[in-house]
Amino acid sequence: MLVLAIDTALDACSAAVLDADAEALLAAQTLDIDRGHAEALIPLVERVMKVAGVGFEAIDRIVTTVGPGSFTGLRVGISAARGFALVTGKPAVGVTTLAALAAPHLSESDAVPVVAAIDARHGNLYLQMFGSGGRSLVAARACGLREAVRAVALGPVRIVGSAAEMLAAHWPANATPPLAVEPRGAPEIIWVARLGAAADPRQAMPRPLYLRPAEARPQETQHLPRR
Amino acid sequence: MLVLGIETTCDETAAAVVSRDAEGRGEIRSNIVLSQLDEHRPFGGVVPEIAARAHVEQLDLIIKKAMAEPGLMFSDLDGIAAAAGPGLIGGLIVGLTTAKAIALGAGKPLIAVNHLEAHALTARLTHGLAFPFLLLLVSGGHTQLVAVEDVGSYRVIGSTADDAIGEAFDKTAKMLRLPYPGGPEVESMAKKGNPKRFALPRPMLGRPEPDFSLSGLKTAVRLEAERIAPLSNEDVADLCASFQAAIIDVVLDRVRTALSAMRAAKRAPNALVIAGGVAVNRAIRGALQLLSTEIGIPLVLPPPELCTDNGAMIAWAGAERLARGLTDAFDASPRARWPLDGAGTRPKESAGG
C-alpha cells in the first residue's frame, strides 16, 4: 500500500510517500517553516511524488495531520488531503500531531508513558499522554502550564514536542523527573505516514482537531430603543 | 473547455463547472453554493475563524456535487480555478489549497482568480458582452466603478473612501435592530416607508471623480434615529426608505460621472453592468434601469444568484484566463488584499505553470 503523507500543522511543511507493506520510505522532504505552508505544500508534494517515481493513480491512501496546531496550518494539510482524496477517489485519513510526536518513542518502548506537549503560545499547551499500546492516558487537551504539570507529573514519563522543555522546567520537585525530554517543532513525517497506514480507512474524511473554540463573541452594537 | 471554479472568499462555500466554447460562449454546467448564514447569525456578521472552519469541513463535498451534477470526472476538465483573493485569508487558503491539490492530482492547470475580476467578467458569461463595459460592483465588502477593457485589463475609476454600500446597509439594519443579514431587511422595510421624511445627505454628489463615501450617511441615519427614538415600526420603515433613497441618488450620480469619464476618454462602454450582493436590491436595479433608458446605454443585470458570491463566476474567469494561456504556478499565494488593477490580474505578470 502506497501512502502519501503530509503535515503542515506545526513548524514544518512535510510530505512523504511510504510503501507501507515493504516498510520503505520512497521519498520524504521537510521544510522548517512556521508560515507559508499554503505556498510551499503543493510544490513540495509534487517534488516528493517525482522523487518517489509514482503517479497519483498509484497512491492508495492520503494521510494528513489534523492538529492540534496552527489553525491556518492544519487547514492547509486537510484541504490538500481532501482535495487529493477527491481527485484520486482514494481514502484520506487524519492523525493527530500529538500521536505522531509520541509514536517513535512508544515504538521504542511503551513501558514508560510518553507525553506529547506542543507550545500553544501565551503559556498554553496542547497536551496528551500515551501509555502501553499507544493507549491515551491523559486525553488531548489545550491547557495552561500549571494544569499540564498537574495532569502528567504523576510518575516517570518521557516528554516530546515544542513545549517539552517548558514542561520539564516546571516539573514539581517532589515528582520523578522526566526520563527523556525531546524538543521537536513538528512530528517526523515517516511516523505520520506509518500511523496513517495503520488507521481505519473507513473513518470519515480528516477533520480539524482545534481543541480551542473559534475566537468570536456575539457583537454588542448599540441599539436604538424601539417602541 | 471545461473549468471547475472554487469560491471561499467570505461566507459562501461554492463550486461550479462552466464550459466555454471556441467562440467564447459560456454555459453553466453546475453551480453549488452553501451559505454559512446560520453559523454567523449569532454574531451579527461574518466571523473569519468561523468562516474558515466551515469552509474546510464542506468544500470537498460541494465540489463533489458540482462534478456529479453534470456527470463529470476530473479528467474531463481543462483547468481548476479558485478565488485567490481578495477576501478572508482563512477561507482563501482552504479554497486555493484544495484547487492546487486537485490540479496537481489531475494533471491540470491551476488558475488563481481575482474574486473582483470574476464579478467583472460574469456579464460575458451570462450575456456574451463585448469589451469595454462599465462595471458597478457593489457588495458588503466592495464598492467600485470599473472600466472593464479586456481580460486582465481593468481600470478602477471610482471606489469608496470608507464603507462599502452593502456594509452601510448592514450597519443601518443593525442600528435599527433588523435581523441579520441586514441588506434585504432594509430593502423590504424601505418599501413600506416614506423616503422623503428624513433629509439625509448625499455624500460625494456632483464630485468630478466617481468615488463614494458612505460613513457620513450612516452617521446621519443614526442621528435622525436618535433624535426621534424610541422608534415605531413606521419610523424604522421611513428611516430605511430615506436611507435607500439617498444611496440610490448617490449611485446614479456616481454612475453618470463614470460613464461621462469613459465617454470623454473615447472608451465609450457597450453597457453598464452591475454585480455584487447589493446588485440584488430591486430598488437599485429599478433605478439603474431608468438611468440606462434615459442616457441610452444597455444595462446588464446578471441573475441574482450570479450577483452574489458563487463558483460559476470563478470558473468562468478561470476559463477566460485559460483561453488566453494565463495560468498560475502551484506556489501561488492567497491574497487577502488584491486590488483589481494591481499586479497579477494583468496578463504579463501571470506566471506560467
Side-chain angles (χ1 to χ4, degrees), chain A residues 38-39 71-72 75-76 79-80 82 84 207 210 212 214 216-217 219 221 223-227, chain B residues 43-44 47 49 53 57 60 93 97 100-101 174 176-177 225-226 230-231 233 235 331 333:
Chain A
E39 289 83 358
F71 296 171
T72 298
R75 282 193 287 260
V76 170
S79 298
R82 289 171 70 148
F84 287 134
R207 300 184 60 198
Y210 296 110
R212 289 202 290 202
R217 273 170 306 171
Q219 272 181 348
T221 36
H223 293 301
L224 288 157
R226 289 285 295 266
R227 254 190 266 186
Chain B
F43 304 98
V47 181
E49 177 63 18
R53 290 184 177 200
E57 300 268 359
D60 58 341
I93 284 175
T97 302
K100 288 177 182 178
K174 211 176 278 177
L176 300 175
R177 269 202 235 180
E226 281 170 356
L231 304 174
N233 282 340
D235 294 332
D331 65 353
S333 290

mmCIF file of all heavy atoms in Angstrom, chain A residues 38-39 71-72 75-76 79-80 82 84 207 210 212 214 216-217 219 221 223-227, chain B residues 43-44 47 49 53 57 60 93 97 100-101 174 176-177 225-226 230-231 233 235 331 333:
data_model
loop_
_atom_site.group_PDB
_atom_site.id
_atom_site.type_symbol
_atom_site.label_atom_id
_atom_site.label_comp_id
_atom_site.label_asym_id
_atom_site.label_seq_id
_atom_site.Cartn_x
_atom_site.Cartn_y
_atom_site.Cartn_z
ATOM 1 N N ALA A 38 0.760 27.424 2.797
ATOM 2 C CA ALA A 38 -0.184 27.444 1.673
ATOM 3 C C ALA A 38 0.555 27.558 0.343
ATOM 4 O O ALA A 38 0.094 27.060 -0.674
ATOM 5 C CB ALA A 38 -1.177 28.600 1.828
ATOM 6 N N GLU A 39 1.704 28.214 0.354
ATOM 7 C CA GLU A 39 2.506 28.332 -0.856
ATOM 8 C C GLU A 39 3.387 27.099 -1.056
ATOM 9 O O GLU A 39 3.598 26.630 -2.163
ATOM 10 C CB GLU A 39 3.403 29.576 -0.797
ATOM 11 C CG GLU A 39 2.672 30.907 -0.924
ATOM 12 C CD GLU A 39 2.083 31.398 0.399
ATOM 13 O OE1 GLU A 39 2.212 30.685 1.418
ATOM 14 O OE2 GLU A 39 1.480 32.487 0.411
ATOM 15 N N PHE A 71 -4.092 26.876 13.484
ATOM 16 C CA PHE A 71 -5.389 26.685 12.808
ATOM 17 C C PHE A 71 -5.225 26.779 11.297
ATOM 18 O O PHE A 71 -5.742 25.969 10.533
ATOM 19 C CB PHE A 71 -6.419 27.731 13.269
ATOM 20 C CG PHE A 71 -6.803 27.646 14.726
ATOM 21 C CD1 PHE A 71 -7.573 28.653 15.299
ATOM 22 C CD2 PHE A 71 -6.426 26.560 15.503
ATOM 23 C CE1 PHE A 71 -7.944 28.581 16.631
ATOM 24 C CE2 PHE A 71 -6.800 26.482 16.837
ATOM 25 C CZ PHE A 71 -7.562 27.508 17.404
ATOM 26 N N THR A 72 -4.498 27.819 10.877
ATOM 27 C CA THR A 72 -4.308 28.033 9.451
ATOM 28 C C THR A 72 -3.479 26.908 8.844
ATOM 29 O O THR A 72 -3.813 26.377 7.792
ATOM 30 C CB THR A 72 -3.592 29.382 9.228
ATOM 31 O OG1 THR A 72 -4.433 30.414 9.730
ATOM 32 C CG2 THR A 72 -3.335 29.629 7.768
ATOM 33 N N ARG A 75 -5.305 23.580 8.436
ATOM 34 C CA ARG A 75 -6.299 23.613 7.359
ATOM 35 C C ARG A 75 -5.647 23.465 5.987
ATOM 36 O O ARG A 75 -6.295 22.978 5.050
ATOM 37 C CB ARG A 75 -7.134 24.899 7.439
ATOM 38 C CG ARG A 75 -8.199 24.847 8.526
ATOM 39 C CD ARG A 75 -9.219 25.964 8.390
ATOM 40 N NE ARG A 75 -8.694 27.249 8.758
ATOM 41 C CZ ARG A 75 -8.902 27.834 9.950
ATOM 42 N NH1 ARG A 75 -9.621 27.228 10.868
ATOM 43 N NH2 ARG A 75 -8.399 29.025 10.198
ATOM 44 N N VAL A 76 -4.394 23.867 5.853
ATOM 45 C CA VAL A 76 -3.687 23.664 4.580
ATOM 46 C C VAL A 76 -3.570 22.170 4.301
ATOM 47 O O VAL A 76 -3.931 21.683 3.227
ATOM 48 C CB VAL A 76 -2.286 24.321 4.611
ATOM 49 C CG1 VAL A 76 -1.467 23.902 3.394
ATOM 50 C CG2 VAL A 76 -2.408 25.838 4.665
ATOM 51 N N SER A 79 -7.083 20.529 3.740
ATOM 52 C CA SER A 79 -7.637 20.906 2.425
ATOM 53 C C SER A 79 -6.949 20.124 1.320
ATOM 54 O O SER A 79 -7.603 19.627 0.395
ATOM 55 C CB SER A 79 -7.463 22.406 2.175
ATOM 56 O OG SER A 79 -8.154 23.162 3.129
ATOM 57 N N ALA A 80 -5.621 20.038 1.405
ATOM 58 C CA ALA A 80 -4.873 19.322 0.371
ATOM 59 C C ALA A 80 -5.236 17.842 0.385
ATOM 60 O O ALA A 80 -5.503 17.249 -0.665
ATOM 61 C CB ALA A 80 -3.374 19.512 0.582
ATOM 62 N N ARG A 82 -7.924 16.328 1.467
ATOM 63 C CA ARG A 82 -9.290 16.087 0.981
ATOM 64 C C ARG A 82 -9.382 16.343 -0.514
ATOM 65 O O ARG A 82 -10.153 15.685 -1.227
ATOM 66 C CB ARG A 82 -10.286 16.914 1.807
ATOM 67 C CG ARG A 82 -10.409 16.333 3.239
ATOM 68 C CD ARG A 82 -11.204 17.198 4.197
ATOM 69 N NE ARG A 82 -12.626 17.241 3.897
ATOM 70 C CZ ARG A 82 -13.589 17.373 4.824
ATOM 71 N NH1 ARG A 82 -13.264 17.478 6.114
ATOM 72 N NH2 ARG A 82 -14.838 17.418 4.476
ATOM 73 N N PHE A 84 -6.819 15.830 -2.656
ATOM 74 C CA PHE A 84 -6.184 14.651 -3.269
ATOM 75 C C PHE A 84 -7.129 13.449 -3.216
ATOM 76 O O PHE A 84 -7.191 12.648 -4.151
ATOM 77 C CB PHE A 84 -4.872 14.302 -2.551
ATOM 78 C CG PHE A 84 -3.739 15.260 -2.828
ATOM 79 C CD1 PHE A 84 -2.950 15.755 -1.792
ATOM 80 C CD2 PHE A 84 -3.447 15.654 -4.131
ATOM 81 C CE1 PHE A 84 -1.901 16.630 -2.050
ATOM 82 C CE2 PHE A 84 -2.391 16.530 -4.402
ATOM 83 C CZ PHE A 84 -1.623 17.021 -3.361
ATOM 84 N N ARG A 207 -10.816 15.663 9.750
ATOM 85 C CA ARG A 207 -11.412 16.912 10.220
ATOM 86 C C ARG A 207 -10.444 17.558 11.199
ATOM 87 O O ARG A 207 -9.735 16.874 11.930
ATOM 88 C CB ARG A 207 -12.734 16.637 10.933
ATOM 89 C CG ARG A 207 -13.769 15.975 10.065
ATOM 90 C CD ARG A 207 -15.074 15.829 10.833
ATOM 91 N NE ARG A 207 -15.576 17.132 11.251
ATOM 92 C CZ ARG A 207 -16.479 17.301 12.201
ATOM 93 N NH1 ARG A 207 -16.948 16.258 12.858
ATOM 94 N NH2 ARG A 207 -16.903 18.509 12.517
ATOM 95 N N TYR A 210 -8.999 21.209 16.650
ATOM 96 C CA TYR A 210 -8.545 22.534 17.089
ATOM 97 C C TYR A 210 -8.248 22.549 18.593
ATOM 98 O O TYR A 210 -7.367 23.245 19.052
ATOM 99 C CB TYR A 210 -9.616 23.590 16.795
ATOM 100 C CG TYR A 210 -9.927 23.806 15.331
ATOM 101 C CD1 TYR A 210 -11.150 23.406 14.790
ATOM 102 C CD2 TYR A 210 -9.017 24.430 14.494
ATOM 103 C CE1 TYR A 210 -11.454 23.629 13.460
ATOM 104 C CE2 TYR A 210 -9.315 24.656 13.161
ATOM 105 C CZ TYR A 210 -10.536 24.257 12.645
ATOM 106 O OH TYR A 210 -10.837 24.476 11.335
ATOM 107 N N ARG A 212 -9.603 24.186 20.600
ATOM 108 C CA ARG A 212 -9.994 25.500 21.139
ATOM 109 C C ARG A 212 -11.106 26.069 20.276
ATOM 110 O O ARG A 212 -11.080 25.916 19.055
ATOM 111 C CB ARG A 212 -8.796 26.472 21.146
ATOM 112 C CG ARG A 212 -7.778 26.102 22.192
ATOM 113 C CD ARG A 212 -6.915 27.282 22.569
ATOM 114 N NE ARG A 212 -6.020 27.657 21.477
ATOM 115 C CZ ARG A 212 -4.900 28.354 21.668
ATOM 116 N NH1 ARG A 212 -4.558 28.748 22.878
ATOM 117 N NH2 ARG A 212 -4.139 28.666 20.658
ATOM 118 N N ALA A 214 -13.436 28.784 18.233
ATOM 119 C CA ALA A 214 -13.115 29.951 17.406
ATOM 120 C C ALA A 214 -13.240 31.204 18.257
ATOM 121 O O ALA A 214 -14.136 31.294 19.104
ATOM 122 C CB ALA A 214 -14.063 30.021 16.215
ATOM 123 N N ALA A 216 -14.646 34.298 18.876
ATOM 124 C CA ALA A 216 -15.772 35.060 18.364
ATOM 125 C C ALA A 216 -16.720 35.357 19.511
ATOM 126 O O ALA A 216 -17.022 34.476 20.311
ATOM 127 C CB ALA A 216 -16.499 34.261 17.290
ATOM 128 N N ARG A 217 -17.135 36.580 19.592
ATOM 129 C CA ARG A 217 -18.124 36.946 20.597
ATOM 130 C C ARG A 217 -19.312 37.573 19.892
ATOM 131 O O ARG A 217 -19.133 38.301 18.921
ATOM 132 C CB ARG A 217 -17.537 37.955 21.580
ATOM 133 C CG ARG A 217 -16.806 37.317 22.748
ATOM 134 C CD ARG A 217 -16.084 38.385 23.506
ATOM 135 N NE ARG A 217 -15.216 39.150 22.587
ATOM 136 C CZ ARG A 217 -14.587 40.263 22.906
ATOM 137 N NH1 ARG A 217 -14.751 40.797 24.082
ATOM 138 N NH2 ARG A 217 -13.811 40.870 22.041
ATOM 139 N N GLN A 219 -21.726 40.130 18.736
ATOM 140 C CA GLN A 219 -21.471 41.563 18.665
ATOM 141 C C GLN A 219 -22.413 42.334 19.566
ATOM 142 O O GLN A 219 -23.605 42.072 19.613
ATOM 143 C CB GLN A 219 -21.640 42.051 17.229
ATOM 144 C CG GLN A 219 -20.355 41.921 16.451
ATOM 145 C CD GLN A 219 -20.516 42.419 15.048
ATOM 146 O OE1 GLN A 219 -21.630 42.652 14.577
ATOM 147 N NE2 GLN A 219 -19.410 42.582 14.352
ATOM 148 N N THR A 221 -23.673 45.706 19.585
ATOM 149 C CA THR A 221 -23.807 47.023 18.978
ATOM 150 C C THR A 221 -24.822 47.819 19.764
ATOM 151 O O THR A 221 -25.702 47.263 20.414
ATOM 152 C CB THR A 221 -24.274 46.939 17.518
ATOM 153 O OG1 THR A 221 -25.171 45.862 17.416
ATOM 154 C CG2 THR A 221 -23.105 46.741 16.584
ATOM 155 N N HIS A 223 -27.917 49.483 20.206
ATOM 156 C CA HIS A 223 -29.218 49.514 19.538
ATOM 157 C C HIS A 223 -30.005 50.723 20.001
ATOM 158 O O HIS A 223 -29.929 51.122 21.154
ATOM 159 C CB HIS A 223 -30.025 48.268 19.885
ATOM 160 C CG HIS A 223 -29.434 47.006 19.340
ATOM 161 N ND1 HIS A 223 -29.224 46.824 18.001
ATOM 162 C CD2 HIS A 223 -29.009 45.887 19.956
ATOM 163 C CE1 HIS A 223 -28.692 45.631 17.822
ATOM 164 N NE2 HIS A 223 -28.548 45.047 19.000
ATOM 165 N N LEU A 224 -30.784 51.238 19.093
ATOM 166 C CA LEU A 224 -31.665 52.336 19.476
ATOM 167 C C LEU A 224 -32.935 51.751 20.086
ATOM 168 O O LEU A 224 -33.392 50.705 19.670
ATOM 169 C CB LEU A 224 -32.013 53.158 18.238
ATOM 170 C CG LEU A 224 -30.824 53.981 17.747
ATOM 171 C CD1 LEU A 224 -30.981 54.318 16.290
ATOM 172 C CD2 LEU A 224 -30.698 55.246 18.579
ATOM 173 N N PRO A 225 -33.466 52.415 21.080
ATOM 174 C CA PRO A 225 -34.700 51.884 21.686
ATOM 175 C C PRO A 225 -35.848 51.874 20.697
ATOM 176 O O PRO A 225 -35.971 52.757 19.860
ATOM 177 C CB PRO A 225 -34.969 52.863 22.830
ATOM 178 C CG PRO A 225 -34.177 54.082 22.535
ATOM 179 C CD PRO A 225 -33.023 53.660 21.694
ATOM 180 N N ARG A 226 -36.629 50.782 20.800
ATOM 181 C CA ARG A 226 -37.807 50.671 19.926
ATOM 182 C C ARG A 226 -39.054 50.837 20.769
ATOM 183 O O ARG A 226 -39.086 50.500 21.937
ATOM 184 C CB ARG A 226 -37.832 49.301 19.247
ATOM 185 C CG ARG A 226 -36.772 49.120 18.185
ATOM 186 C CD ARG A 226 -37.122 49.871 16.922
ATOM 187 N NE ARG A 226 -38.320 49.340 16.303
ATOM 188 C CZ ARG A 226 -38.302 48.415 15.346
ATOM 189 N NH1 ARG A 226 -37.184 47.917 14.922
ATOM 190 N NH2 ARG A 226 -39.425 47.996 14.809
ATOM 191 N N ARG A 227 -40.082 51.352 20.128
ATOM 192 C CA ARG A 227 -41.342 51.470 20.843
ATOM 193 C C ARG A 227 -42.068 50.158 20.880
ATOM 194 O O ARG A 227 -41.976 49.396 19.927
ATOM 195 C CB ARG A 227 -42.224 52.507 20.142
ATOM 196 C CG ARG A 227 -42.285 53.800 20.923
ATOM 197 C CD ARG A 227 -43.334 54.705 20.356
ATOM 198 N NE ARG A 227 -42.684 55.615 19.400
ATOM 199 C CZ ARG A 227 -43.308 56.619 18.803
ATOM 200 N NH1 ARG A 227 -44.582 56.841 19.022
ATOM 201 N NH2 ARG A 227 -42.680 57.405 17.976
ATOM 202 N N PHE B 43 -23.575 36.193 15.631
ATOM 203 C CA PHE B 43 -22.543 37.213 15.841
ATOM 204 C C PHE B 43 -22.856 38.502 15.091
ATOM 205 O O PHE B 43 -22.104 39.462 15.162
ATOM 206 C CB PHE B 43 -21.180 36.657 15.410
ATOM 207 C CG PHE B 43 -20.842 35.383 16.128
ATOM 208 C CD1 PHE B 43 -21.053 34.148 15.536
ATOM 209 C CD2 PHE B 43 -20.365 35.415 17.433
ATOM 210 C CE1 PHE B 43 -20.772 32.971 16.203
ATOM 211 C CE2 PHE B 43 -20.086 34.242 18.111
ATOM 212 C CZ PHE B 43 -20.291 33.021 17.506
ATOM 213 N N GLY B 44 -23.947 38.512 14.339
ATOM 214 C CA GLY B 44 -24.349 39.717 13.639
ATOM 215 C C GLY B 44 -23.401 40.127 12.534
ATOM 216 O O GLY B 44 -23.405 41.282 12.104
ATOM 217 N N VAL B 47 -17.718 36.052 10.980
ATOM 218 C CA VAL B 47 -16.562 35.866 11.861
ATOM 219 C C VAL B 47 -15.514 35.053 11.088
ATOM 220 O O VAL B 47 -15.772 33.910 10.715
ATOM 221 C CB VAL B 47 -16.957 35.103 13.142
ATOM 222 C CG1 VAL B 47 -15.748 34.936 14.054
ATOM 223 C CG2 VAL B 47 -18.083 35.830 13.860
ATOM 224 N N GLU B 49 -12.746 33.291 11.621
ATOM 225 C CA GLU B 49 -12.345 31.931 12.029
ATOM 226 C C GLU B 49 -13.501 30.936 11.865
ATOM 227 O O GLU B 49 -13.291 29.786 11.475
ATOM 228 C CB GLU B 49 -11.812 31.941 13.470
ATOM 229 C CG GLU B 49 -11.438 30.581 14.045
ATOM 230 C CD GLU B 49 -10.299 29.849 13.319
ATOM 231 O OE1 GLU B 49 -9.532 30.504 12.573
ATOM 232 O OE2 GLU B 49 -10.202 28.617 13.477
ATOM 233 N N ARG B 53 -13.422 27.644 9.380
ATOM 234 C CA ARG B 53 -13.757 26.311 9.892
ATOM 235 C C ARG B 53 -14.860 25.659 9.075
ATOM 236 O O ARG B 53 -14.831 24.456 8.816
ATOM 237 C CB ARG B 53 -14.161 26.401 11.374
ATOM 238 C CG ARG B 53 -12.970 26.720 12.257
ATOM 239 C CD ARG B 53 -13.306 26.718 13.737
ATOM 240 N NE ARG B 53 -12.079 26.952 14.495
ATOM 241 C CZ ARG B 53 -11.906 26.643 15.774
ATOM 242 N NH1 ARG B 53 -12.907 26.112 16.461
ATOM 243 N NH2 ARG B 53 -10.767 26.877 16.376
ATOM 244 N N GLU B 57 -14.620 22.109 6.290
ATOM 245 C CA GLU B 57 -15.477 20.943 6.533
ATOM 246 C C GLU B 57 -16.349 20.615 5.321
ATOM 247 O O GLU B 57 -16.801 19.482 5.176
ATOM 248 C CB GLU B 57 -16.414 21.210 7.729
ATOM 249 C CG GLU B 57 -15.696 21.500 9.030
ATOM 250 C CD GLU B 57 -15.463 20.257 9.873
ATOM 251 O OE1 GLU B 57 -15.883 19.162 9.452
ATOM 252 O OE2 GLU B 57 -14.853 20.391 10.953
ATOM 253 N N ASP B 60 -14.953 20.066 0.001
ATOM 254 C CA ASP B 60 -14.823 18.906 -0.897
ATOM 255 C C ASP B 60 -16.185 18.293 -1.242
ATOM 256 O O ASP B 60 -16.390 17.814 -2.358
ATOM 257 C CB ASP B 60 -13.845 17.855 -0.320
ATOM 258 C CG ASP B 60 -14.257 17.340 1.046
ATOM 259 O OD1 ASP B 60 -15.062 18.004 1.733
ATOM 260 O OD2 ASP B 60 -13.766 16.266 1.441
ATOM 261 N N ILE B 93 -7.197 30.279 1.860
ATOM 262 C CA ILE B 93 -6.217 29.198 1.982
ATOM 263 C C ILE B 93 -6.880 27.850 1.728
ATOM 264 O O ILE B 93 -6.341 27.001 1.024
ATOM 265 C CB ILE B 93 -5.543 29.255 3.374
ATOM 266 C CG1 ILE B 93 -4.525 30.404 3.400
ATOM 267 C CG2 ILE B 93 -4.894 27.926 3.732
ATOM 268 C CD1 ILE B 93 -3.884 30.652 4.750
ATOM 269 N N THR B 97 -5.824 25.965 -1.706
ATOM 270 C CA THR B 97 -5.072 24.725 -1.483
ATOM 271 C C THR B 97 -5.817 23.526 -2.061
ATOM 272 O O THR B 97 -5.214 22.646 -2.677
ATOM 273 C CB THR B 97 -4.823 24.511 0.025
ATOM 274 O OG1 THR B 97 -4.111 25.634 0.541
ATOM 275 C CG2 THR B 97 -4.001 23.253 0.269
ATOM 276 N N LYS B 100 -5.340 23.590 -5.781
ATOM 277 C CA LYS B 100 -3.992 23.162 -6.168
ATOM 278 C C LYS B 100 -3.861 21.644 -6.092
ATOM 279 O O LYS B 100 -3.256 21.015 -6.963
ATOM 280 C CB LYS B 100 -2.952 23.791 -5.232
ATOM 281 C CG LYS B 100 -2.728 25.283 -5.422
ATOM 282 C CD LYS B 100 -1.721 25.762 -4.365
ATOM 283 C CE LYS B 100 -1.460 27.243 -4.446
ATOM 284 N NZ LYS B 100 -0.516 27.678 -3.383
ATOM 285 N N ALA B 101 -4.417 21.046 -5.023
ATOM 286 C CA ALA B 101 -4.323 19.593 -4.863
ATOM 287 C C ALA B 101 -5.041 18.887 -6.010
ATOM 288 O O ALA B 101 -4.529 17.915 -6.571
ATOM 289 C CB ALA B 101 -4.908 19.177 -3.510
ATOM 290 N N LYS B 174 -28.454 46.925 11.565
ATOM 291 C CA LYS B 174 -28.068 46.565 12.920
ATOM 292 C C LYS B 174 -28.484 47.653 13.897
ATOM 293 O O LYS B 174 -29.006 47.380 14.977
ATOM 294 C CB LYS B 174 -26.546 46.364 12.953
ATOM 295 C CG LYS B 174 -26.113 45.337 13.962
ATOM 296 C CD LYS B 174 -24.622 45.107 13.900
ATOM 297 C CE LYS B 174 -24.211 44.154 12.796
ATOM 298 N NZ LYS B 174 -22.760 44.001 12.700
ATOM 299 N N LEU B 176 -30.910 49.616 13.597
ATOM 300 C CA LEU B 176 -32.368 49.642 13.730
ATOM 301 C C LEU B 176 -32.912 48.306 14.227
ATOM 302 O O LEU B 176 -34.110 48.055 14.198
ATOM 303 C CB LEU B 176 -32.999 50.001 12.382
ATOM 304 C CG LEU B 176 -32.577 51.381 11.829
ATOM 305 C CD1 LEU B 176 -33.143 51.595 10.429
ATOM 306 C CD2 LEU B 176 -33.021 52.504 12.758
ATOM 307 N N ARG B 177 -32.004 47.427 14.658
ATOM 308 C CA ARG B 177 -32.366 46.114 15.202
ATOM 309 C C ARG B 177 -33.133 45.253 14.216
ATOM 310 O O ARG B 177 -34.056 44.519 14.595
ATOM 311 C CB ARG B 177 -33.223 46.287 16.463
ATOM 312 C CG ARG B 177 -32.359 46.330 17.696
ATOM 313 C CD ARG B 177 -33.217 45.961 18.892
ATOM 314 N NE ARG B 177 -33.141 47.005 19.882
ATOM 315 C CZ ARG B 177 -33.788 46.969 21.033
ATOM 316 N NH1 ARG B 177 -34.603 45.973 21.316
ATOM 317 N NH2 ARG B 177 -33.660 47.936 21.899
ATOM 318 N N ALA B 225 -32.251 58.905 13.809
ATOM 319 C CA ALA B 225 -32.931 57.872 14.595
ATOM 320 C C ALA B 225 -32.877 58.213 16.080
ATOM 321 O O ALA B 225 -33.872 58.065 16.799
ATOM 322 C CB ALA B 225 -32.283 56.523 14.318
ATOM 323 N N GLU B 226 -31.719 58.673 16.540
ATOM 324 C CA GLU B 226 -31.581 59.025 17.953
ATOM 325 C C GLU B 226 -32.507 60.188 18.317
ATOM 326 O O GLU B 226 -33.070 60.243 19.399
ATOM 327 C CB GLU B 226 -30.124 59.399 18.258
ATOM 328 C CG GLU B 226 -29.228 58.175 18.424
ATOM 329 C CD GLU B 226 -27.743 58.497 18.497
ATOM 330 O OE1 GLU B 226 -27.375 59.682 18.341
ATOM 331 O OE2 GLU B 226 -26.959 57.555 18.691
ATOM 332 N N PRO B 230 -37.821 56.719 21.190
ATOM 333 C CA PRO B 230 -37.932 55.343 20.690
ATOM 334 C C PRO B 230 -38.641 55.236 19.340
ATOM 335 O O PRO B 230 -39.553 56.033 19.062
ATOM 336 C CB PRO B 230 -38.735 54.638 21.793
ATOM 337 C CG PRO B 230 -39.535 55.724 22.434
ATOM 338 C CD PRO B 230 -38.699 56.973 22.351
ATOM 339 N N LEU B 231 -38.219 54.240 18.554
ATOM 340 C CA LEU B 231 -38.680 54.149 17.180
ATOM 341 C C LEU B 231 -39.899 53.244 17.032
ATOM 342 O O LEU B 231 -39.919 52.139 17.564
ATOM 343 C CB LEU B 231 -37.558 53.578 16.301
ATOM 344 C CG LEU B 231 -36.213 54.323 16.315
ATOM 345 C CD1 LEU B 231 -35.183 53.541 15.518
ATOM 346 C CD2 LEU B 231 -36.360 55.721 15.774
ATOM 347 N N ASN B 233 -42.445 51.139 14.283
ATOM 348 C CA ASN B 233 -42.191 50.428 13.018
ATOM 349 C C ASN B 233 -42.211 51.383 11.840
ATOM 350 O O ASN B 233 -41.446 51.233 10.892
ATOM 351 C CB ASN B 233 -43.237 49.324 12.816
ATOM 352 C CG ASN B 233 -42.909 48.106 13.670
ATOM 353 O OD1 ASN B 233 -41.759 47.939 14.108
ATOM 354 N ND2 ASN B 233 -43.909 47.285 13.921
ATOM 355 N N ASP B 235 -41.395 54.543 11.935
ATOM 356 C CA ASP B 235 -40.143 55.298 11.945
ATOM 357 C C ASP B 235 -39.030 54.508 11.265
ATOM 358 O O ASP B 235 -38.256 55.046 10.462
ATOM 359 C CB ASP B 235 -39.704 55.611 13.387
ATOM 360 C CG ASP B 235 -40.668 56.548 14.093
ATOM 361 O OD1 ASP B 235 -41.328 57.359 13.392
ATOM 362 O OD2 ASP B 235 -40.765 56.467 15.334
ATOM 363 N N ASP B 331 2.815 27.479 -6.381
ATOM 364 C CA ASP B 331 3.165 28.237 -5.177
ATOM 365 C C ASP B 331 2.403 29.567 -5.107
ATOM 366 O O ASP B 331 2.748 30.440 -4.310
ATOM 367 C CB ASP B 331 4.679 28.474 -5.084
ATOM 368 C CG ASP B 331 5.208 29.344 -6.203
ATOM 369 O OD1 ASP B 331 4.426 29.667 -7.130
ATOM 370 O OD2 ASP B 331 6.392 29.715 -6.160
ATOM 371 N N SER B 333 0.120 32.507 -4.115
ATOM 372 C CA SER B 333 -0.279 32.909 -2.760
ATOM 373 C C SER B 333 -1.736 33.328 -2.695
ATOM 374 O O SER B 333 -2.214 34.021 -3.586
ATOM 375 C CB SER B 333 0.547 34.119 -2.303
ATOM 376 O OG SER B 333 1.862 33.747 -2.071
#
